[in-house]
Structure formats: structure tokens, C-alpha cells
Amino acid sequence: MFRFTDNKQLISLLSSTIRLTVILTGLFVALSILGLERAVTSLLAGVGVLGLALGFAFQDIAANFMSGLIMAWRQPFAVGALVDIKGHYGIVQRVTLRATVIRLFTGQFVILPNKDVLQSAIVNYSQTGERRVDIEVGVSYGDDLEKVKQVATEAIEDIAYRDSSREVEFYFKEFGSSSINFDLRFWLDLHSSQANFLEARSLAVMAIKKAFDAHDITIPFPIRTLDFGIKGGRRLDEVLP
């Protein structure tokens, strides 16, 4: 089997199934040769009844086992992959025929039944080897937007771990309550780790803040305008006695 696939889980499952099939077949053939047909019939009936009873008693175990078989065949992720499954974000440590073990970045282990894993949306960050950093920023309504775009884009051109073969993406997004907001995006080098991702994002935030300070571009605090007139348009000093 190792000549056809490197999937150790699938090989282990097939080996166990073939081994059990050969043993049971040999047992039934031996009983038939000894003239114990009734014993064979009784044994088969007993196995059927026992299988039916166990099927009802261990539905979850059977479901996890079948899910593990499907996952072993389809391989939605590999051991060591960075995944997000049902809100659990971490590194896959091992995958058995019953459960998937994920190590969180906080140090804990999460054991997820394969049935839940197979039925959930799986975000695999390691499948393509690509990762993008998205940063949301807001600038004052009084700033020159063309200047903002140029300064922000140039600020992260030389960020560590950035994929220089791809351009920095910059898009103004909305008129916020206190600022004009934009998204700034850049891609990382292939196969960058989670630590590289966090470091690149941190460096980008610092670089943008430093560049904005140097060019007198304001990242405004939340602003509230208070109106004290019943119909609007009146300031506080106009309504005070």
C-alpha cells in the first residue's frame, strides 16, 4: 500500500479491515469444513444482531469513525497545518480515525470529534502557502486623500516578510462618523509562519503611524457634535440663560 499512497491513516485502516476480513473468512471456512454449518449460521445471526445493537449504542463513535475515514481519503488538511475550525485557531497536531487534535497558540490542546470537523467550515491557512495582511485605518476629513494614499503605500513598501512581487493594495472604503476609512492590504512571502504574519502586521501599523506623523496626517479620535435645539442648529451657549 505504501507504493500507492503516503496516507498513513488510510493505510492503517485498510490494513486492519483486510486483516479482520481474512480472519473472519478463515473462521467461517474452517467451521464449514468441520461440518458445523449450524454454528456458522448461528454465528452470522449473532454477529448481525450484535452489530445492529452496537450500531444504535455507538452511533456517535461510528459517525466519528466514518468521518475520520472520509477525512483520511480527502485530506482537507495535513498535520502541522494552520487551521481555524469552529473558532479554534491553531496548529493541527494529529488526526486519528475518531478525533482531530489542534494546539492553540495559547498552549492548550483542543480535541474535536471528526464528525464535527467534517460538518464544519474549515479555514486552512497552509493549503496555498499564501497569506494577506489587512489593515483598516481612518484619516481626518481635512486631509488630502491623494497624499494619504501615497504616504501609506510607500510606508510599507519595505516591510519585512512582504512579497515584493505583488503591489500594495489601497482602497478608500467609507465616510465614517469621524474619519474617512480605508483598507490597506499586502501579501506575505510564501510559507510565512504565524509569527511572521503578526510581526509584519505590527511593523506595518508602526510604519503607517510614523509616516502619518511625519507628513502631518491625522488619525482622528471619535468626534461627537452636540445639538441643543429642539429642531436642531443651536449651540449650548445659545440655550443657556
Side-chain angles (χ1 to χ4, degrees):
M1 293 183 187
F2 279 104
R3 296 176 56 187
F4 300 99
T5 178
D6 295 329
N7 192 328
K8 295 182 179 179
Q9 294 174 309
L10 186 60
I11 292 175
S12 176
L13 176 63
L14 292 177
S15 300
S16 300
T17 303
I18 293 173
R19 183 183 303 111
L20 181 60
T21 301
V22 171
I23 292 175
L24 291 177
T25 302
L27 176 62
F28 293 141
V29 170
L31 291 175
S32 298
I33 293 176
L34 294 175
L36 301 176
E37 287 81 3
R38 290 186 178 181
V40 173
T41 303
S42 300
L43 185 59
L44 289 175
V47 169
V49 173
L50 180 61
L52 183 61
L54 291 178
F56 283 108
F58 300 103
Q59 292 184 30
D60 289 341
I61 296 177
N64 288 327
F65 181 82
M66 292 304 301
S67 298
L69 175 61
I70 295 174
M71 290 172 58
W73 180 261
R74 295 175 54 186
Q75 290 187 301
F77 49 78
V79 174
L82 175 61
V83 298
D84 186 350
I85 304 175
K86 300 192 70 173
H88 301 292
Y89 182 66
I91 304 296
V92 177
Q93 294 296 299
R94 61 182 179 274
V95 181
T96 67
L97 292 175
R98 289 185 297 273
T100 299
V101 181
I102 300 176
R103 181 182 178 89
L104 306 181
F105 289 105
T106 53
Q108 294 82 14
F109 286 91
V110 177
I111 301 175
L112 297 175
N114 285 335
K115 179 184 69 173
D116 295 342
V117 174
L118 190 63
Q119 294 176 351
S120 302
I122 301 173
V123 182
N124 190 339
Y125 293 93
S126 303
Q127 185 72 28
T128 62
E130 298 177 322
R131 192 84 182 269
R132 191 182 71 185
V133 179
D134 294 8
I135 300 177
E136 298 182 5
V137 190
V139 294
S140 170
Y141 276 89
D143 288 316
D144 183 351
L145 298 187
E146 291 291 341
K147 179 181 178 181
V148 169
K149 180 177 181 179
Q150 179 181 355
V151 171
T153 303
E154 292 178 353
I156 62 172
E157 285 288 346
D158 298 326
I159 290 294
Y161 310 114
R162 189 180 78 84
D163 185 357
S164 58
S165 65
R166 298 191 179 190
E167 294 184 358
V168 177
E169 302 175 22
F170 185 104
Y171 305 101
F172 285 107
K173 182 170 63 175
E174 61 183 356
F175 294 95
S177 59
S178 306
S179 61
I180 297 179
N181 302 323
F182 65 85
D183 288 334
L184 191 146
R185 307 168 182 171
F186 62 94
W187 293 85
L188 301 182
D189 293 329
L190 293 179
H191 306 294
S192 293
S193 65
Q194 174 68 6
N196 297 151
F197 171 83
L198 296 176
E199 179 68 13
R201 187 176 62 183
S202 177
L203 292 173
V205 171
M206 291 190 295
I208 293 173
K209 176 63 168 59
K210 183 178 180 180
F212 280 8
D213 290 343
H215 291 82
D216 197 26
I217 297 175
T218 304
I219 301 177
F221 293 102
I223 299 173
R224 297 291 182 268
T225 301
L226 303 180
D227 195 331
F228 295 91
I230 296 177
K231 295 184 178 180
R234 301 190 66 185
R235 301 191 306 272
L236 178 60
D237 59 351
E238 296 176 354
V239 299
L240 288 176

